[in-house]
């Protein structure tokens, strides 16, 4: 396994991060525990979850019981001992509603306190290594948010803080407020980022690099569209429906060219997509979210894929990206 520092911090994390959103809704507890054990066997020490994970989506069969279920699955895995918690850099998130009453969501000092304690109980641990704001809260001032974080850090309940789904100016706003208080601020940002979805290259990535914030891309395969979907479709192994099918038809020529190029390189399409992210200087670790153990085995292959300048240029031709703002749209 390859390791790097999380943003400007001294914390060492694996170049792949295990995402757990499927644990509960699509992956039963026994398989989830097997996947986490396998992750440690591969040397993956970085696990990501959220307090809202575990709710089964409408129309999807599975075992989801409600928000918090995924954290509870991880907590029971930690409780087995054997160094499971000690070897894991644990990241979870706060923001989404955990109930119907006021102050059961977002980033007020009250919700941060209550949500953090509830996550600690479900995860069966005494601290969170990376506590992430799942979305920007436009209704809560940053001084209040950072004060709540300072209290949790002083109590030993949080070590580092990150964000998710922030705009570039939100990162700047958060870091400016932290600097005024003399605190460390954000060390990571978790955006959607992949070959098909590259808007963060305009402002989020430049802001993150400027402030020493590591990027943790979610949906690195764009819900499977970059994972060899056309070949699986031809072989009868996968058939997309709804929005996914619409997205595929809209981008079919690009995806056809992409799968053909991956074949030329001698790699699986999903491996190339993950490897491309690992070649981006702002990226700390893509978040891979396996539903079954085999998906994790597949993801690890990407660490051995090397893309030269010619290959990277060809991928940019197939999936054009963005230059840093304002040069992308101004002289």
């Amino acid at each position: 396994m390859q390791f790097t520092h999380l943003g400007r911090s001294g914390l060492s994390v694996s170049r792949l991060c295990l995402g757990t959103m499927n644990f509960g809704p699509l992956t039963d507890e026994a398989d989830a525990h097997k996947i986490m054990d396998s992750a440690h066997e591969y040397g993956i020490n970085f696990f990501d979850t959220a307090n809202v994970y575990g709710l089964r989506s409408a129309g999807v069969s599975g075992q989801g019981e409600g928000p918090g279920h995924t954290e509870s699955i991880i907590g029971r895995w930690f409780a087995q001992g054997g160094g499971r918690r000690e070897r894991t850099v644990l990241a979870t998130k706060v923001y989404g509603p955990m109930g119907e009453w006021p102050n059961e969501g977002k980033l007020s000092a009250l919700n941060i306190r209550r949500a953090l304690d509830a996550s600690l109980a479900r995860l069966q641990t005494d601290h969170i290594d990376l506590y992430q704001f799942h979305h920007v809260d436009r209704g809560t001032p940053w001084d209040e948010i950072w004060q709540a974080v300072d209290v949790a850090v002083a109590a030993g309940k949080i070590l580092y803080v990150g964000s998710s789904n922030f705009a570039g100016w939100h990162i700047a706003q958060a870091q400016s407020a932290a600097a005024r208080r003399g605190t460390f601020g954000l060390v990571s940002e978790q955006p959607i980022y992949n070959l098909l979805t590259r808007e963060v290259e305009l402002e989020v990535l430049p802001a993150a690099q400027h402030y020493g914030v590591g990027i943790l891309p979610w949906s690195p395969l764009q819900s499977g569209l970059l994972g060899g979907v056309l070949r699986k479709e031809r072989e009868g192994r996968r058939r997309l429906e709804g929005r996914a099918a619409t997205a595929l038809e809209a981008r079919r020529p690009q995806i056809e060219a992409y799968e053909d190029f991956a074949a030329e390189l001698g790699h699986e399409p999903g491996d190339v997509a993950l490897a491309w992210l690992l070649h981006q200087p702002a990226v700390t670790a893509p978040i891979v979210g396996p539903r079954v153990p085999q998906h994790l085995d597949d993801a690890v292959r990407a660490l051995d894929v090397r893309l030269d300048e010619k290959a990277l240029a060809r991928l940019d031709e197939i999936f054009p990206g963005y230059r840093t703002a304002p040069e992308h749209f101004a002289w």
Side-chain angles (χ1 to χ4, degrees), residues 121-311:
R122 286 189 293 267
L123 289 161
Q124 301 193 45
T125 186
D126 63 355
H127 74 282
I128 304 298
D129 299 301
L130 177 64
Y131 201 49
Q132 301 163 107
F133 307 130
H134 211 162
H135 195 280
V136 64
D137 183 352
R138 297 178 178 89
T140 303
W142 274 106
D143 282 340
E144 177 182 348
I145 295 170
W146 285 129
Q147 183 180 42
V149 168
D150 290 346
V151 171
V153 170
K157 296 180 179 180
I158 296 174
L159 300 184
Y160 301 92
V161 180
S163 59
S164 182
N165 306 304
F166 274 32
W169 76 274
H170 295 139
I171 294 173
Q173 189 181 43
Q175 299 303 73
S176 176
R180 289 197 306 269
R181 300 179 62 86
T183 57
F184 201 54
L186 304 174
V187 298
S188 64
E189 158 60 19
Q190 190 178 133
I192 184 170
Y193 184 34
N194 55 60
L195 280 164
L196 276 164
T197 304
R198 299 179 60 171
E199 287 83 357
V200 292
E201 293 171 349
L202 282 165
E203 299 194 30
V204 175
L205 300 194
Q209 288 181 288
H210 175 77
Y211 288 105
V213 172
I215 294 293
L216 309 174
W218 60 268
S219 195
L221 303 186
Q222 190 65 34
S223 300
L225 292 181
L226 294 168
V229 65
L230 295 180
R231 188 183 67 191
K232 293 173 183 176
E233 186 181 69
R234 290 192 299 269
E235 296 172 351
R237 291 189 289 140
R238 181 165 190 177
R239 182 176 180 82
L240 298 179
E241 299 178 352
R243 288 187 297 175
T246 302
L248 173 59
E249 289 310 309
R251 308 296 286 269
R252 183 175 286 270
Q254 285 177 295
I255 295 172
E256 286 178 346
Y258 169 67
E259 291 192 14
D260 289 344
F261 181 57
E264 289 178 26
L265 293 174
H267 297 296
E268 294 293 323
D271 298 352
V272 174
L274 284 173
W276 179 81
L277 283 170
L278 290 166
H279 281 71
Q280 306 310 305
V283 170
T284 296
I287 298 171
V288 296
R291 294 194 308 276
V292 297
Q294 182 62 46
H295 291 166
L296 181 62
D297 298 336
D298 295 343
V300 171
R301 290 196 307 257
L303 294 166
D304 295 323
V305 176
R306 298 291 177 266
L307 301 174
D308 59 22
E309 292 301 319
K310 184 178 179 181

